[in-house]
């Protein structure tokens, strides 16, 4: 190892990664044995050589925007319209997507097309999908309230779209409210770099009202036209490739996941792999609870038959039962190895520093105490209604903190808070976040008896504020000194006290504020603080005073300080503890 330039790693207790071990074997002209079985995995199918020959698929549309800008109302109106056009009845299942039928433009003999709208919680899941290299969304509808304009989350969506290849449609919502200025909103969007068609750009904008349904038909037609321009096509047969939009535990069905099909077809009986979860498809249903026999590209269906709960945003692939089992075992083993190697460099660094300390004869116990120093942690266990919500909450709160105090998510889960969560939080000294889930009364009583805090919330922004406040409580307080009065020393007097001792009294005039005996005092000489302490004596005309106001003269003495000089400034102040800031 020394000959190959690995002097720092040549100690007997240094742990090598598999890559370094392979390179070391090659340096000595040995062939490292690679386990092909352990490397086996299932991958997405390769791209079609001639996509123009494939059948068209429905566009996938995500509606985004700032909180309270009417996204939910708009989605509900679109969803109810879709149900009214299809079967009678209400939405019986919670699903991450629903389809809206639209007549094809141009030739009326063409079959009715559909648009798949994604109803995922927030855009944390959308970002996670994009980060995994998946072009799940074809069109983003940016909802902007006409009475509110551009807000922080609006800018976040604009930046998200700029960094991707998805199409953009702007929906100016709440146009039915009296007194709204639509042109002001459009000019604000132009200032943010959104080139609307009204100003000669290429981004369409539609004026809508989610409450009354005004403009929704035009919005659907605009999305359909944009999708036709994108010429979206995919294989309807062959190997499946899709993504999980959300997952949850359903009564009577166990773990279920909403799968968006991008390529191929999804049928009952197929064996699926998704991250570290697998399934044999039992039942598939659409957004209105109707059983689906086959799901084609652009369709989103709820799939039951999962052995474990899949994670939102993970890739869904299919294969034979034997291949799925082999790939799943390899993925689990790989994840375990990666988790065990997370702190490999830290362990090696710690061992190296311990060796250096032993060489210089330092006390090992001091080194151990120094090693335990670190930022304070607010440990959290997150429980949510669906995996998409859990992912969004985790992504929103993980970044809260600094190098002094921070958030650490120790566990996540889907479903109501259980007693096992209380025990885990008690052991870890953590707090439970219940997002859109219930805390049963027995579990609540157990949490109170174990003194485990439980944060119950259904609004992510309020939850972020609560978590931020708890992290701030971990920070050391900021001590602020507020000056309440100043006095200038004009003369000095020495008086005798018991035991033949003398005490120095400063004759002062109060120049600002009030000199109060119960406040702290500091002596300033030539702009420098030379003493801080308390007043021992405050008199005026031989009378003991509690405070002396501006313009008055007084005599005072500081405890344990006998070195006043003419011209010194005595400042009275109080220390105020303020919460720390992130």
């Amino acid at each position: 190892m020394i000959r190959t330039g690995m002097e720092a790693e040549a100690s007997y207790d240094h742990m090598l990664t598999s890559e370094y071990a392979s390179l070391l074997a090659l340096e000595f002209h040995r062939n490292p044995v690679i386990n092909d079985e352990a490397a086996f995995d299932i991958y997405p199918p390769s791209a079609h050589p001639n996509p123009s020959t494939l059948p068209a698929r429905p566009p996938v549309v995500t509606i985004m925007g700032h909180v309270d800008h009417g996204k939910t109302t708009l989605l509900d109106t679109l969803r109810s319209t879709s149900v009214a056009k299809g079967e009678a009845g209400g939405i019986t299942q919670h699903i991450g997507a629903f389809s809206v039928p639209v007549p094809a433009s141009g030739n009326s003999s063409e079959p009715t097309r559909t648009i798949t709208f994604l109803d995922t919680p927030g855009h944390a899941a959308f970002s996670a999908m994009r980060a995994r290299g998946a072009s799940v969304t074809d069109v983003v509808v940016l909802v902007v309230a006409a009475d509110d304009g551009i807000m922080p989350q609006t800018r976040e969506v604009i930046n998200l779209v700029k960094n991707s290849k998805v199409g953009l449609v702007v929906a100016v919502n709440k146009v039915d409210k009296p007194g709204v200025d639509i042109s002001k909103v459009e000019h604000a969007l132009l200032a943010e770099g959104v080139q609307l068609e009204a100003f000669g750009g290429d981004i369409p904008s539609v004026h809508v009202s989610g409450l009354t349904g005004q403009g929704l038909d035009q919005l659907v037609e605009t999305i359909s036209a944009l999708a036709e321009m994108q010429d979206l096509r995919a294989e309807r047969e062959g190997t499946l490739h899709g993504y999980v939009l959300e997952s949850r535990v359903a009564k009577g069905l166990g773990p279920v996941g909403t799968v968006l099909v991008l390529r191929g077809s999804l049928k009952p009986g197929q064996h699926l792999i998704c991250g570290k979860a697998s399934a044999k498809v039992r039942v598939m249903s659409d957004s209105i609870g109707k059983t689906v026999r086959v799901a084609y590209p652009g369709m989103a269906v709820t799939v039951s038959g999962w052995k474990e709960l899949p994670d939102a945003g993970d890739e869904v692939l299919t294969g034979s039962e034997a291949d799925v089992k082999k790939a799943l075992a390899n993925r689990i083993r790989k994840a375990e190895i990666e988790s065990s190697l997370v702190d490999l460099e830290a362990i090696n660094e710690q061992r190296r520093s311990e060796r250096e300390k032993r060489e210089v004869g330092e006390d090992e116990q001091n080194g151990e105490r120094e090693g335990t120093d670190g930022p304070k942690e607010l440990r959290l266990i997150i429980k949510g209604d669906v995996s998409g919500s859990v992912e969004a909450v985790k992504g929103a709160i993980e970044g809260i903190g600094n190098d002094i105090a921070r958030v650490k998510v120790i566990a996540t889960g889907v479903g109501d808070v259980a007693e096992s969560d209380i025990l885990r939080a008690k052991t870890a000294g953590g707090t439970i976040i219940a997002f859109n889930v219930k805390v049963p009364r027995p579990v609540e009583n157990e949490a109170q008896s174990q003194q485990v805090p439980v944060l119950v919330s259904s609004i992510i922004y309020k939850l972020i504020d609560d978590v931020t406040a708890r992290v701030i409580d971990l920070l050391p307080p900021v001590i602020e000194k507020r000056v309440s009065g100043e006095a200038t020393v004009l003369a000095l007097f020495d008086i005798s006290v018991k035991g033949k001792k003398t005490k120095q009294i400063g004759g002062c005039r109060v120049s600002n504020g009030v000199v109060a005996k119960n406040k702290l005092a500091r002596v300033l000489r030539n702009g420098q603080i030379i003493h801080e302490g308390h007043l021992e004596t405050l008199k005026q005309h031989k009378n003991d005073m509690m405070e002396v106001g501006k313009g008055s003269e007084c005599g005072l003495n500081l405890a344990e300080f006998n070195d006043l000089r003419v011209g010194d400034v005595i400042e009275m102040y109080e220390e105020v503890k303020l919460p720390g800031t992130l």
Side-chain angles (χ1 to χ4, degrees), residues 213-395:
Q214 173 188 342
L216 291 189
D217 289 342
Q218 185 184 352
L219 176 64
V220 172
E221 289 174 5
T222 303
I223 296 170
S224 181
L226 187 61
E228 286 185 10
M229 292 172 60
Q230 291 180 338
D231 192 26
L232 303 170
R233 297 178 180 274
E235 303 96 324
R236 290 173 64 90
E237 299 296 335
T239 307
L240 170 73
H241 182 211
Y243 281 88
V244 171
L245 298 178
E246 68 178 18
S247 60
R248 60 191 173 90
V249 178
K251 289 183 179 180
L253 292 175
V256 297
T258 303
V259 178
L260 174 66
V261 180
L262 294 182
R263 299 170 63 187
S265 59
L266 178 59
K267 303 174 184 177
Q270 284 182 327
H271 292 274
L272 307 181
I273 185 170
C274 175
K276 292 181 289 182
S278 63
K280 181 179 180 181
V281 181
R282 292 194 313 185
V283 180
M284 301 189 304
S285 57
D286 60 11
S287 58
I288 59 174
K290 184 180 178 182
T291 301
V292 176
R293 294 179 180 272
V294 185
Y296 293 111
M299 293 178 63
V301 290
T302 301
V303 177
S304 66
W306 295 94
K307 295 179 180 178
E308 305 85 14
L309 201 66
D311 292 331
D314 277 355
E315 219 172 25
V316 180
L317 302 168
T318 187
S320 66
E321 184 178 2
D323 287 348
V324 167
K325 285 183 178 180
K326 191 191 305 181
L328 185 64
N330 288 339
R331 289 186 181 188
I332 293 173
R333 183 173 58 253
K334 185 179 178 181
E336 291 174 350
I337 293 173
E338 288 177 353
S339 64
S340 67
L341 295 179
V342 167
D343 296 327
L344 182 70
E345 289 300 324
I347 293 171
N348 287 332
E349 183 64 31
Q350 182 183 2
R351 290 179 176 178
R352 189 180 300 115
S353 63
E354 287 176 356
R355 286 197 304 272
E356 292 173 356
K357 288 175 182 178
R358 284 197 297 269
E359 289 173 2
V360 298
E362 253 185 54
D363 185 10
E364 294 182 11
Q365 293 182 354
N366 292 337
E368 290 174 3
R369 281 198 297 270
E370 289 173 6
T372 58
D373 291 340
K376 294 182 179 179
E377 293 177 340
L378 177 65
R379 298 175 180 178
L380 299 176
I381 295 174
I382 303 173
K383 297 299 293 284
D385 54 344
V386 294
S387 59
S389 298
V390 173
E391 183 184 23
V393 171
K394 183 180 178 183

Side-chain angles (χ1 to χ4, degrees), residues 202-220:
D202 56 353
I203 297 176
S205 64
V206 184
H207 302 162
V208 299
S209 170
L211 197 62
T212 64
Q214 173 188 342
L216 291 189
D217 289 342
Q218 185 184 352
L219 176 64
V220 172

